[in-house]
């Protein structure tokens, strides 16, 4: 229980997340599904809602919906169907949206959200998912202030899933982390690009308070904050709304609340306030009715199984496994599993290397730094994960020093050559031939009798200096470990 003056209260938040899917076509027609482009160029009679045009369900759309449902721990229903949700808005061409109101594709899921600070050991909280249903996106309005509005129908009919959570979140931070987790998982399994700036993931938060006032329980009316497309917006809007609802409760306004009173709000980022858009005392009547132009989805167990088998390992499971199998820290695994491509790249290197931990270090420190600097991705690199494994292996075997390895790495980045080829070309390979090193040690000792005398008089740091001379004389090629051994052996004589 939180405290506000003499009041005790709890925050109750549930989220509805709309997520655009990365299918090749739109949900119910064969128009290309892609963000942006010249307005109204990816449209057809169906997604423009012209009379007589019929919708058809894309198979890939259903598959992506199943994948998302599996990834979020849902039961996939063999039977689901489509409905029409009617309302009036200029960007809704048909006057209704095709959705799954009565029978959704997925139900009863759950996700674990991590409430720990970054790089700390995870602290999980379970958030239940009530349902995930398929529905189409609407067109996009563009308002030119003070003059007129445009509508772009390229987005009309873009496949969405709507993920409805139970009201299981009890702080604004939990709501933001929930959205973050959903995004991470769905990106990881490849059903969305999760690009929030382009609106691929939008969150509506339903928030109210349970207040205990002198032993009497009271619930504030629910505010639905619509269409937030950043974690920060979710956190800030919910934080603001908590204090607004508390303030409203302590003022006299609450007397006006009738049961069923609900507000639809927007988050105004510049002013940092929630803004009331609509208030309703009865649920809006969307006149839901079955979509007569689409058959129900009747999915066989085999089909559902085949699709769910293709989901692959989820990020949290991967993190646990990486920690155990490769002995990596929480920090390492968090970064390595932030993207599926990176996680797989690392694992390929780790499997071919004698030291997975060193592979992780090289990837996290060197490879990611280069990608950051050049603003490129793993697939742009001229070499693959095996090359990193090879590089780590030659360092481990003592063939080159870690200083030389940096030069080899620079060549790999520039030319994409294999480490072994670069080492041979540059004559970097260390010499472990003891007679060769012994000869140099002899020479160095002969040339530096004074230094040797100093060592005998107790200046122990001279040993390191002599070792440096040996390395220098060998042109950096002597195996440093062996050289040190031979220097010490010679001194002990
Ligand atoms: Zn179309
Ligand atoms: Mn919706």
């Amino acid at each position: 229980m939180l405290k506000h003056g003499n009041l005790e209260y709890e925050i109750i938040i549930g989220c509805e997340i709309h997520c655009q899917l990365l299918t090749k076509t739109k949900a119910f027609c064969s128009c290309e599904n892609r963000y942006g482009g010249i307005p109204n160029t990816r449209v057809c009679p169906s997604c423009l809602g012209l009379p007589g045009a019929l919708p058809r369900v894309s198979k890939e759309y259903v598959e992506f919906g199943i994948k998302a449902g599996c990834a979020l721990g849902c039961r996939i229903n063999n039977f689901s169907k489509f409905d029409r949700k009617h309302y009036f808005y200029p960007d809704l061409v048909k006057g209704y949206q095709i959705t799954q109101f009565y029978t959704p594709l997925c139900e009863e899921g759950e996700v674990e959200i991590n409430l720990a600070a970054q790089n700390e050991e995870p602290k999980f909280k379970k958030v239940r998912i009530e349902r995930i249903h398929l529905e189409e996106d609407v067109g996009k309005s563009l308002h030119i202030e003070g003059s007129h509005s445009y509508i772009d129908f390229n987005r009309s009919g873009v496949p969405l899933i709507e993920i409805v959570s139970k009201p299981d979140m009890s702080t604004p931070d939990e709501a933001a982390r929930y959205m973050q987790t959903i995004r991470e998982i769905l990106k990881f399994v490849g059903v969305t690009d999760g690009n929030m700036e382009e609106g691929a993931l939008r969150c509506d938060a339903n928030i109210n308070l349970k207040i205990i006032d002198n032993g009497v329980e009271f619930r504030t009316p629910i505010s639905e904050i619509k269409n937030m497309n950043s974690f920060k917006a979710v956190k800030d809007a919910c934080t603001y709304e908590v204090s607004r609802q508390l303030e409203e409760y302590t003022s006299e306004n609450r007397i006006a609340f009738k049961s069923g009173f609900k507000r639809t709000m927007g988050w105004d980022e510049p002013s940092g306030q929630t803004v009331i858009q609509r208030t309703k005392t009865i649920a809006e009547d969307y006149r839901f009715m079955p979509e007569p132009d689409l058959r129900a989805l009747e999915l066989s167990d085999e089909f559902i199984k085949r699709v769910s088998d293709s989901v692959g390992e989820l990020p949290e499971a991967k993190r646990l496994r990486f920690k155990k199998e490769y002995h990596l820290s929480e920090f390492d695994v968090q970064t390595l599993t932030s993207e599926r491509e990176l996680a797989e790249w690392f694992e390929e290197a780790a499997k071919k290397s004698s030291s997975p931990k060193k592979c992780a270090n090289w990837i996290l420190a060197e490879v990611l730094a280069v990608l950051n600097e050049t603003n490129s991705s793993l697939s742009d690199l001229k070499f693959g994960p095996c090359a990193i494994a090879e590089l780590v292996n030659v360092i481990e075997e003592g063939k080159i020093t870690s200083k030389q390895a940096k030069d080899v790495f620079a060549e790999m980045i520039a030319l994409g050559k294999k480490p072994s080829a670069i080492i041979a070309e540059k004559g970097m390979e260390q010499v472990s031939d003891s007679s060769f090193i012994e000869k140099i040690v002899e020479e160095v000792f002969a040339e530096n009798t004074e230094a040797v005398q100093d060592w005998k008089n107790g200046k122990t740091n001279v040993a390191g200096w002599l070792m440096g001379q040996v390395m220098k004389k060998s042109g950096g090629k002597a195996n440093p470990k062996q050289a040190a051994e031979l220097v010490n052996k010679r001194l002990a004589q």
Side-chain angles (χ1 to χ4, degrees):
M1 277 274 172
L2 301 161
K3 274 199 160 44
H4 178 78
N6 331 327
L7 303 175
E8 288 194 313
Y9 70 100
E10 262 170 37
I11 305 167
I12 306 164
I13 307 173
C15 291
E16 287 161 26
I17 292 178
H18 285 92
C19 173
Q20 288 180 344
L21 303 179
L22 274 178
T23 54
K24 284 172 221 69
T25 68
K26 289 186 180 180
F28 305 113
C29 63
S30 54
C31 289
E32 189 191 358
N33 170 28
R34 182 154 56 82
Y35 176 81
I38 300 167
N40 298 310
T41 51
R42 288 194 285 276
V43 289
C44 72
S46 174
C47 56
L48 280 176
L50 299 184
L54 291 173
R56 237 183 72 188
V57 186
S58 138
K59 187 180 167 202
E60 197 185 19
Y61 181 24
V62 178
E63 288 171 348
F64 275 38
I66 295 173
K67 276 191 184 185
C70 287
L72 300 176
C74 292
R75 178 187 82 227
I76 311 298
N77 290 329
N78 294 88
F79 179 89
S80 63
K81 62 183 188 59
F82 293 97
D83 306 292
R84 292 182 176 184
K85 177 182 181 178
H86 296 84
Y87 63 97
F88 176 77
Y89 202 76
D91 62 18
L92 183 72
V93 270
K94 299 189 290 285
Y96 61 84
Q97 178 189 31
I98 302 179
T99 181
Q100 295 188 307
F101 181 68
Y102 295 105
T103 47
L105 179 64
C106 323
E107 283 178 279
E108 293 179 347
E110 62 178 44
V111 286
E112 301 261 13
I113 59 173
N114 181 4
L115 300 178
Q118 223 197 344
N119 309 328
E120 266 176 24
E121 281 306 307
K123 209 164 69 205
F124 291 113
K125 174 174 177 169
K126 197 173 282 177
V127 176
R128 294 166 300 159
I129 288 166
E130 187 173 306
R131 56 187 275 153
I132 302 176
H133 56 259
L134 305 176
E135 66 181 29
E136 58 180 341
D137 211 340
V138 296
K140 201 173 173 175
S141 310
L142 224 118
H143 306 292
I144 309 295
E145 215 182 312
S147 83
H148 48 280
S149 293
Y150 296 100
I151 304 178
D152 176 8
F153 289 113
N154 283 351
R155 202 177 72 176
S156 176
V158 159
L160 293 177
I161 46 173
E162 182 179 331
I163 306 153
V164 183
S165 86
K166 295 271 190 191
D168 284 350
M169 286 146 282
S170 44
T171 67
D173 183 52
E174 285 179 17
R177 286 184 191 234
Y178 168 74
M179 187 185 184
Q180 222 170 335
T181 308
I182 295 286
R183 176 175 182 268
E184 180 191 69
I185 294 174
L186 295 183
K187 258 189 89 175
F188 209 85
V189 300
V191 297
T192 183
D193 63 15
N195 193 327
M196 314 229 285
E197 270 157 42
E198 294 176 356
L201 212 73
R202 284 119 55 187
C203 181
D204 303 340
N206 286 285
I207 174 167
N208 72 330
L209 307 175
K210 180 174 129 184
I211 294 177
I212 310 286
D213 187 352
N214 281 318
V216 181
E217 187 182 315
F218 183 87
R219 300 229 175 192
T220 58
I222 295 174
S223 294
E224 181 178 16
I225 314 167
K226 298 292 268 185
N227 255 325
M228 293 174 283
N229 63 355
S230 75
F231 310 136
K232 187 175 181 297
V234 170
K235 192 173 167 177
D236 292 349
C238 289
T239 306
Y240 178 84
E241 192 55 24
V242 168
S243 53
R244 197 199 62 75
Q245 290 189 11
L246 280 171
E247 207 166 289
E248 186 174 65
Y249 177 84
T250 46
S251 76
E252 295 308 307
N253 291 344
R254 73 176 138 123
I255 295 163
F257 295 157
K258 299 190 188 90
S259 71
F261 184 92
K262 202 179 160 181
R263 290 191 177 98
T264 304
M265 307 190 110
W267 172 239
D268 185 52
E269 193 111 47
S271 72
Q273 292 183 343
T274 50
V275 187
I276 296 173
Q277 292 171 339
R278 292 194 295 273
T279 55
K280 34 192 174 186
T281 45
I282 43 163
E284 202 151 331
D285 184 4
Y286 290 113
R287 292 179 292 126
F288 283 102
M289 59 173 268
E291 165 60 68
D293 292 336
L294 285 171
R295 282 176 51 183
L297 291 176
E298 290 179 72
L299 310 174
S300 68
D301 290 339
E302 296 74 53
F303 178 73
I304 294 172
K305 185 174 183 313
R306 197 171 67 240
V307 178
S308 28
D309 284 348
S310 72
V311 169
E313 194 174 32
L314 299 176
E316 199 48 55
K318 230 184 228 331
R319 277 195 276 279
L320 274 177
R321 191 169 60 76
F322 277 10
K323 274 206 246 180
K324 230 174 97 190
E325 264 176 47
Y326 304 120
H327 309 289
L328 302 178
S329 67
E330 180 64 25
F331 175 79
D332 289 352
V333 294
Q334 275 189 15
T335 315
L336 287 172
T337 59
S338 58
E339 309 255 336
R340 186 185 194 141
E341 195 193 7
L342 178 62
E344 287 174 353
W345 210 88
F346 157 72
E347 189 151 37
E348 222 179 307
K351 284 200 166 130
K352 294 212 162 65
S353 163
S354 53
S355 173
K357 170 75 187 147
K358 294 229 161 90
C359 286
N361 292 348
W362 269 89
I363 292 169
L364 291 169
E366 309 295 332
V367 178
L368 291 187
V370 168
L371 296 184
N372 261 339
E373 275 163 32
T374 53
N375 198 16
S376 48
S377 65
L378 285 168
S379 55
D380 299 325
L381 288 175
K382 294 190 176 116
F383 57 87
C386 300
I388 286 292
E390 194 193 328
L391 182 64
V392 167
N393 290 348
V394 290
I395 307 168
E396 289 290 284
E397 288 158 16
K399 283 190 181 146
I400 57 171
T401 62
S402 28
K403 194 167 160 286
Q404 287 173 314
K406 301 249 170 175
D407 298 335
V408 174
F409 181 70
E411 289 273 298
M412 286 161 65
I413 292 288
L415 306 166
K417 283 187 193 156
K418 287 179 73 176
S420 53
I422 299 166
I423 291 165
E425 221 169 77
K426 304 216 161 218
M428 277 176 175
E429 196 135 7
Q430 282 174 21
V431 179
S432 305
D433 174 357
S434 59
S435 61
F436 166 79
I437 304 172
E438 245 166 57
K439 196 171 146 265
I440 296 175
V441 170
E442 276 312 315
E443 282 171 24
V444 168
F445 271 68
E447 286 160 20
N448 300 286
T449 46
E450 243 171 79
V452 175
Q453 196 53 48
D454 285 346
W455 184 83
K456 283 181 179 154
N457 295 337
K459 277 180 84 177
T460 47
N461 59 348
V462 170
W465 183 83
L466 284 166
M467 154 80 186
Q469 296 304 303
V470 173
M471 288 308 290
K472 205 166 153 192
K473 218 172 168 119
S474 75
K477 284 188 185 180
N479 179 319
K481 208 172 139 219
Q482 240 176 333
E485 270 168 24
L486 288 169
V487 166
N488 286 328
K489 203 172 128 198
R490 182 72 177 71
L491 282 170
Q493 278 171 13

